[in-house]
Amino acid sequence: DEADRSARARAAERAMTRDGVEIEVAANVGSLDDLAPAIEAGADGVGLFRTEFLFLDRDQAPTEDEQEAAYRAAAEALDGRPMLVRTLDAGADKPLPYLGEPAEPNPFLGVRGLRLGLLRPDVLDVQLRALVRVAADHPLRVMFPMVATLDELRAAHAAVDRAVNAIADAGRRVPERLEVGAMIEVPSAALAADRLAPEVDFLSIGTNDLSQYVLAADRGNERVASLADALDPTVLELIRRTADAAGVARIWAGVCGELAGDALAAPLLIGLGVRELSMSAPAIPHVKQAVRETDLDSADALAAEALSLSSAAEVRDLLRTHAV
Ligand code: PEP
Ligand code: MG
């Protein structure tokens, strides 16, 4: 329809609220093939580069050179747009048999994401060195998945420092400054956001995992997956807490879970304090349009009302009413 056409026509423009607050609207990508459609859809950059594709369906981990080539090709395709790369988020539903890690009774509560990286510096360090090489030439940011504690975040920073030193020692250029962020997708991380925020450049909320861990409902189990609803007021409370902590630390908080791609939720997330949204490419024009139709006062009021409700269904009704 007409609204659809006009959203598409303006997709490449940056998205500002009515009162002039810029919201970065970025793409989630999971392969090099996803980049052209993301740019075509109007992405301001990549807000979540899932790097698992480099590691799956093979017999051994990709080498530093191989990874560098992939990240460099992606950064070149983005032509100066920022690229936020998430380190390997294996484990849980994405085991890598060649790593030889033992099977676990509860993989979603086991060695996944950053936990695996810290147990296997052989894997994490190779990836970080490849990323540091590319970050010397392109606006590449690094983020760590499944952070649960401040100690883990500090250990991740130490790994970044190791990588930068190794590249410098090899006589190669290193980035002047490498931005590092934490994903907020474990309830303890959201509750500790005020401790994490001063030690990172950004926080990116993974509402898919955050919802499943807050509601204790496996997102892959269809009998309970509907419980893991990111619009549940308890999840919204943790989003607000995270965004507040980011504001105090003068860094930005974004959302890269599926909720970010729901245009109806855009004013709510802005009202909760979120300033970056990353989503699958087709949603970008619509979310940008929803940003343009919002202003901070009404977004704040909407967020306050949503937080006073008792269920995801009530929040969804509120968003529908607000949109018409
Ligand atoms: C999330 O958990 O919300 C997220 C963006 O990461 P993934 O879906 O890859 O777990
Ligand atoms: Mg996740």
Side-chain angles (χ1 to χ4, degrees), residues 36 85 97-98 112 115 155 171 183 190 199 209 217 230 239 244 264 272 285 290:
V85 182
Y98 57 79
R112 66 169 294 205
R115 298 170 183 185
M183 280 193 76
E199 305 200 10
D209 276 310
I239 295 174
D244 282 354
L264 278 182
L272 292 170

Side-chain angles (χ1 to χ4, degrees), residues 50 86 89 112 145-146 183 185 206 208-210 219:
R50 294 184 168 102
R86 178 175 75 182
D89 187 19
R112 66 169 294 205
M146 275 296 285
M183 280 193 76
E185 50 185 350
N208 307 337
D209 276 310
L210 185 61
R219 65 196 248 201

Side-chain angles (χ1 to χ4, degrees), residues 121-157:
D122 54 324
V123 178
L124 180 61
D125 289 10
V126 171
Q127 183 170 32
L128 289 174
R129 289 198 301 267
L131 291 170
V132 166
R133 288 184 183 187
V134 177
D137 305 315
H138 297 279
L140 183 156
R141 305 164 174 157
V142 175
M143 95 174 154
F144 293 101
M146 275 296 285
V147 174
T149 69
L150 180 57
D151 283 348
E152 287 175 329
L153 177 63
R154 289 181 175 161
H157 270 298

Side-chain angles (χ1 to χ4, degrees), residues 184 190 192-205 238-254 269-276:
I184 301 294
D194 57 343
R195 303 178 183 81
L196 301 174
E199 305 200 10
V200 287
D201 297 294
F202 59 89
L203 296 172
S204 184
I205 305 167
L238 292 180
I239 295 174
R240 183 181 63 169
R241 197 179 170 109
T242 301
D244 282 354
V248 169
R250 297 178 175 281
I251 60 169
W252 57 265
L269 293 173
I270 292 168
L272 292 170
V274 169
R275 293 292 177 266
E276 184 253 17

